[in-house]
Amino acid sequence: MKDITITRQVFALDELDPAARCVAIEKLRTENYENIPSDMISEGLYGELVVLITGEDRGDVSAKNLEKLTGLTLEWRLSYCQGDGVAIYGEIYNDYATQLTWGNAVWAQLTRNSYGYHYSHRNCFTVELFDGEGDIVEDNNVMANELGDICAKLERYGYAEIENFTSEESVIELLNNNDTPRIFNTDGTLAPSQFWAAL
């Protein structure tokens, strides 16, 4: 048996020609998109929901804390497909959700409807309002529309976070923070990892 040594040139992003640099950046953006930490998006969405219904900014919030704080759960799917968006479920009370229009209602029930078993968006839940005695309160869908608008705002927030995480600036920053930024072939494709090197 004979050992063979293979030598290969690998390049840092700023050493690539403009066409190869574009290929490299698009590859890194795609990899970032495919590997977005779902907790990062979820906790940001939960925190934004708290702000929108209470007016209090608590930063990122865990699913457990969201339910504890608001009585709500949030489901999302943001992959640029039909039926994607944000949906909210659970019970919410007027003493906490001060940014919503309550009228004579004391609490609201947000229930998954038939769309909610296949999709996640603003039309996946129904809203029923109740007074302190548990009787239904009519509000001409005022709160349902407000909650739908909140879902739309959360959807925009989520897509903005995804765009930020996959932006050219973000992938370059991640690459610059990498110990081995020489990872590209001359054409901008990724070299096999055993050839990656420091500057």
Side-chain angles (χ1 to χ4, degrees), residues 2 64 66-67 70 89 122 150 155 174 176:
K2 183 176 180 179
K64 183 178 179 180
L66 174 68
E67 193 162 1
T70 66
Y89 304 103
R122 66 183 293 162
I150 286 172
E155 179 180 348
L174 285 172
N176 288 338

Side-chain angles (χ1 to χ4, degrees), residues 115-190:
Y115 296 116
Y117 294 101
H118 304 286
Y119 306 108
S120 290
H121 57 71
R122 66 183 293 162
N123 297 318
C124 290
F125 58 93
T126 57
V127 179
E128 287 185 292
L129 300 173
F130 300 92
D131 64 17
E133 304 298 316
D135 295 326
I136 293 177
V137 174
E138 295 297 328
D139 78 335
N140 293 320
N141 290 322
V142 171
M143 186 175 292
N145 290 331
E146 289 177 347
L147 290 167
D149 291 344
I150 286 172
C151 288
K153 288 176 183 175
L154 292 172
E155 179 180 348
R156 287 191 298 275
Y157 170 87
Y159 277 126
E161 286 295 295
I162 291 168
E163 289 296 323
N164 181 54
F165 190 70
T166 60
S167 70
E168 181 174 336
E169 295 80 19
S170 289
V171 297
I172 289 172
E173 181 181 339
L174 285 172
L175 187 59
N176 288 338
N177 291 334
N178 189 342
D179 291 338
T180 57
R182 286 188 191 271
I183 62 174
F184 301 104
N185 294 315
T186 189
D187 62 356
T189 58
L190 289 174

Side-chain angles (χ1 to χ4, degrees), residues 4-18:
I4 298 174
T5 301
I6 299 174
T7 303
R8 186 173 196 151
Q9 280 190 313
V10 288
F11 301 88
L13 186 65
D14 59 357
E15 296 172 331
L16 297 172
D17 67 51

Side-chain angles (χ1 to χ4, degrees), residues 24-83:
I25 288 173
E26 192 55 38
K27 174 65 178 162
L28 292 174
R29 290 184 72 203
T30 300
E31 277 196 13
N32 269 16
Y33 181 77
E34 292 170 354
N35 296 297
I36 291 174
S38 64
D39 286 351
M40 178 186 80
I41 302 295
S42 295
E43 291 177 2
L45 287 170
Y46 302 155
E48 284 298 303
L49 176 58
V50 170
V51 169
L52 291 169
I53 64 173
T54 69
E56 299 175 21
D57 187 353
R58 295 178 176 253
D60 289 353
V61 174
S62 69
K64 183 178 179 180
N65 283 339
L66 174 68
E67 193 162 1
K68 182 179 172 184
L69 288 169
T70 66
L72 297 175
T73 60
L74 181 146
E75 294 180 10
W76 62 275
R77 187 176 314 139
L78 300 172
S79 57
Y80 301 98
C81 294
Q82 182 178 347

